[in-house]
Amino acid sequence: LAPSIIHLAACQDDEKAWDGNVVMKHGLLTYKIQKILDNGAFAGSYEEFFERIDSEMGGNQNPNLSFEGKINPIFNKSRPFKRIEHYM
């Protein structure tokens, strides 16, 4: 079994992730993820999802996207967090 793993980190290795504030109630990355997903309304791919997150971070921290294991283009182009039975 060769899993496809997408790893999204809040910042680069030489940065610190911003913890947020009373309004956000989460760290900056979590806040942006919730905003972009918009209760399931986001219909883009993982690639588009990361691009939106990266563009909305405001330069305070730079998220990091990496892929582990077998690269699966079908999975990478699927909607984030949507269950798909089979990617082959």
Side-chain angles (χ1 to χ4, degrees):
L1 179 64
S4 272
I5 300 169
I6 296 176
H7 178 243
L8 176 60
C11 60
Q12 300 295 314
D13 291 341
D14 61 343
E15 298 175 330
K16 292 184 179 180
W18 199 63
D19 281 336
N21 59 35
V22 176
V23 174
M24 292 185 339
K25 300 178 185 171
H26 303 287
L28 183 60
L29 178 67
T30 302
Y31 176 77
K32 295 299 183 180
I33 287 172
Q34 288 179 327
K35 179 181 172 192
I36 293 165
L37 287 177
D38 191 23
N39 291 317
F42 180 77
S45 67
Y46 275 103
E47 294 164 349
E48 293 165 326
F49 182 58
F50 178 75
E51 288 171 9
R52 284 275 308 275
I53 291 169
D54 192 36
S55 71
E56 291 202 17
M57 293 297 273
N60 295 325
Q61 66 192 52
N62 300 289
N64 188 5
L65 180 70
S66 62
F67 300 91
E68 306 290 329
K70 182 180 178 184
I71 301 297
N72 189 324
I74 296 170
F75 180 72
N76 294 349
K77 293 187 183 313
S78 67
R79 286 178 64 186
F81 309 110
K82 181 179 181 193
R83 182 179 175 177
I84 297 176
E85 294 298 324
H86 198 269
Y87 294 101
M88 298 300 183

